[in-house]
Amino acid sequence: MRDQTLPVFLRGDRSYVQGTQIIARLAEQVAPEGSLLTQATFNQITANTVSWLAPGSGDADNLIGQVHFVKDDQEHVYRLRDSGVAAPRLDAPMDVQLNLVKAPTPLTGQYQYRFEAPGNLERLLNVLVQAVKALHERLAPGVHDVWFTGMRQFALPVQGQSGPFSGVIDIGLRRLARREHQYQSLVEVRVGEHGGQARLQGVFSFAFKSEQTIHVD
């Protein structure tokens, strides 16, 4: 039987395991060749290692989210479980290369990105998540605890591509909800070539906190 524990870690001084790590390690272990990553949701963050439950598994406790892969129009949904065992800490660079081109309104902007190394799912997810997170952190000086809670309506190839990859990320706000000092955002993300049409697009959701009221148009 396959080891159902994902080899994730705490990067640098982070207090939680990145969702992009969890998704990428899961894809390496379970996603069939030629799969697409279509959706992921996280209901909490964790500083522990994470295990997965195969489709059709019974009830389980300590669930923190789930990830959806599609192959030949068949969906495979894997649930994620907090193991309760502390994840190791590594000082491993993320190597995200982003250049903010414009940010005309709150939670709206355009980035350029580039990697000289061959692209893979984790690199692409890191670029997308860090781009959206950076826009959240620009909202106000008091914004904190910004974390990635999910993605949907995507069709990201699980397997990587050869050679350098680069492009443009366009981000637009769809909705921002507030409950006291806690916020939940929904943004549309489009990934395209320089000067070309979007080749990947979908929706990201983030949670963050701010004691200062955040206003967006």
Side-chain angles (χ1 to χ4, degrees):
M1 182 177 179
R2 288 177 291 176
D3 183 359
Q4 293 179 295
T5 301
L6 302 174
V8 295
F9 60 90
L10 299 169
R11 189 187 302 274
D13 60 357
R14 280 180 170 80
S15 60
Y16 59 93
V17 174
Q18 294 164 281
T20 53
Q21 269 193 66
I22 296 172
I23 295 170
R25 298 294 82 75
L26 178 67
E28 291 169 355
Q29 288 197 11
V30 306
E33 183 79 19
S35 295
L36 298 174
L37 168 64
T38 59
Q39 182 173 330
T41 55
F42 295 97
N43 52 51
Q44 67 181 61
I45 56 178
T46 181
N48 298 325
T49 57
V50 176
S51 61
W52 53 268
L53 297 171
S57 300
D59 294 337
D61 55 5
N62 300 321
L63 296 176
I64 64 169
Q66 62 184 30
V67 180
H68 300 231
F69 300 106
V70 171
K71 171 71 182 295
D72 297 330
D73 295 326
Q74 189 167 17
E75 187 174 49
H76 307 268
V77 181
Y78 291 84
R79 291 178 294 162
L80 302 168
R81 184 175 180 274
D82 187 325
S83 71
V85 177
R89 186 174 296 278
L90 295 175
D91 188 17
M94 193 157 43
D95 294 330
V96 170
Q97 302 172 34
L98 284 167
N99 176 36
L100 180 62
V101 177
K102 59 183 178 181
T105 58
L107 294 182
T108 300
Q110 184 182 88
Y111 289 87
Q112 292 181 345
Y113 72 92
R114 180 172 179 81
F115 283 101
E116 296 300 331
N120 61 28
L121 178 63
E122 186 171 11
R123 281 198 179 97
L124 180 57
L125 287 174
N126 280 336
V127 164
L128 298 178
V129 169
Q130 293 306 309
V132 178
K133 182 178 180 180
L135 286 183
H136 284 75
E137 292 172 337
R138 290 169 56 92
L139 284 171
V143 169
H144 60 100
D145 292 349
V146 182
W147 61 283
F148 162 54
T149 60
M151 55 182 287
R152 57 187 171 88
Q153 300 174 9
F154 273 99
L156 303 182
V158 168
Q159 278 70 43
Q161 62 186 66
S162 61
F165 73 115
S166 63
V168 176
I169 302 169
D170 284 297
I171 301 166
L173 176 64
R174 277 197 181 182
R175 184 171 69 245
L176 183 65
R178 172 184 169 227
R179 184 176 181 181
E180 296 182 342
H181 301 310
Q182 301 185 46
Y183 290 78
Q184 183 78 40
S185 64
L186 193 68
V187 298
E188 184 170 6
V189 177
R190 296 170 178 255
V191 184
E193 306 291 345
H194 295 280
Q197 293 184 336
R199 55 185 173 87
L200 296 170
Q201 66 184 69
V203 174
F204 275 102
S205 59
F206 270 72
F208 67 94
K209 297 178 182 178
S210 175
E211 284 65 44
Q212 173 186 346
T213 302
I214 303 296
H215 297 285
V216 297
D217 295 329

